Amino acid sequence: MLVWTVILRVLFSKMIDRWIIRIVFGNLPKYMNILIIEHDMSYAQWLKKNIGVRGYRIEIRSNAQEAQNSLSQKSFHLVLVNIFLPDSTGSLLISKIKTISPKVGIIAMTDRNSRELEMQIRSLDILYYMIKPIDKKYLTHLLDHVEKKSVSVG
């Protein structure tokens, strides 16, 4: 019996993983789309790995132009955006995101924090302002909270 369980686990691992995720995490949006806008690809991959385990569909874009193109072509529930990208400032990009997708939830991330910057970004009606690096447990709690807020597709 154990051998069959192992064989089935290998053959149907993706399907079983999604099923287990739904049981463990309960009534999550079935296909929550998340866009990560981050120029540091190793950090973006870390975020994708740690968020993706929850069963979400995640896309990564490394600059503002790519992100705007993606937002114009597809609907997202949530956007995690680094506010210091090579081709745009955070406030400008967040304003453009809100124009393209008014209902999308936005989480701003930075590794260069100041009180003035935080006040400026928070004034743009974002969900959260986070200072990198983000602790894995904090990220989990944050996603739980965002799910409870019922972020709609933008």
Side-chain angles (χ1 to χ4, degrees):
M1 185 66 173
L2 180 61
V3 173
W4 283 108
T5 304
V6 171
I7 291 171
L8 287 173
R9 174 76 171 134
V10 170
L11 292 175
F12 301 106
S13 64
K14 257 191 175 176
M15 183 175 68
I16 292 170
D17 287 346
R18 288 183 189 273
W19 181 69
I20 290 170
I21 286 168
R22 286 191 186 119
I23 289 173
V24 171
F25 291 111
N27 52 0
L28 297 178
K30 190 172 181 182
Y31 299 108
M32 189 165 173
N33 294 321
I34 299 175
L35 178 62
I36 298 171
I37 309 169
E38 172 64 65
H39 65 278
D40 179 347
M41 281 298 116
S42 62
Y43 193 72
Q45 289 298 330
W46 181 87
L47 284 170
K48 182 176 181 175
K49 175 185 167 195
N50 285 285
I51 296 170
V53 74
R54 299 173 72 107
Y56 300 135
R57 293 182 180 176
I58 300 166
E59 293 185 21
I60 297 173
R61 298 297 175 259
S62 62
N63 63 56
Q65 186 59 49
E66 290 176 0
Q68 290 174 62
N69 291 341
S70 291
L71 286 159
S72 296
Q73 297 171 6
K74 186 175 182 179
S75 294
F76 292 91
H77 296 88
L78 185 64
V79 175
L80 281 78
V81 58
N82 183 333
I83 57 176
F84 289 106
L85 293 169
D87 63 337
S88 182
T89 64
S91 56
L92 180 62
L93 180 55
I94 290 170
S95 296
K96 287 181 180 178
I97 291 170
K98 293 256 180 206
T99 301
I100 297 168
S101 299
K103 294 183 181 180
V104 73
I106 299 174
I107 297 176
M109 308 178 293
T110 184
D111 56 0
R112 294 182 247 166
N113 187 39
S114 71
R115 188 173 188 84
E116 296 80 24
L117 175 64
E118 183 173 352
M119 290 176 67
Q120 176 193 11
I121 298 299
R122 284 187 185 275
S123 72
L124 299 172
D125 194 31
I126 61 168
L127 292 175
Y128 294 98
Y129 178 89
M130 299 190 320
I131 301 168
K132 299 185 325 186
I134 301 161
D135 179 69
K136 189 176 178 178
K137 279 186 178 180
Y138 181 75
L139 182 62
T140 300
H141 291 298
L142 178 61
L143 289 171
D144 289 342
H145 191 72
V146 168
E147 288 167 8
K148 288 176 188 171
K149 284 186 152 213
S150 302
V151 176
S152 60
V153 175

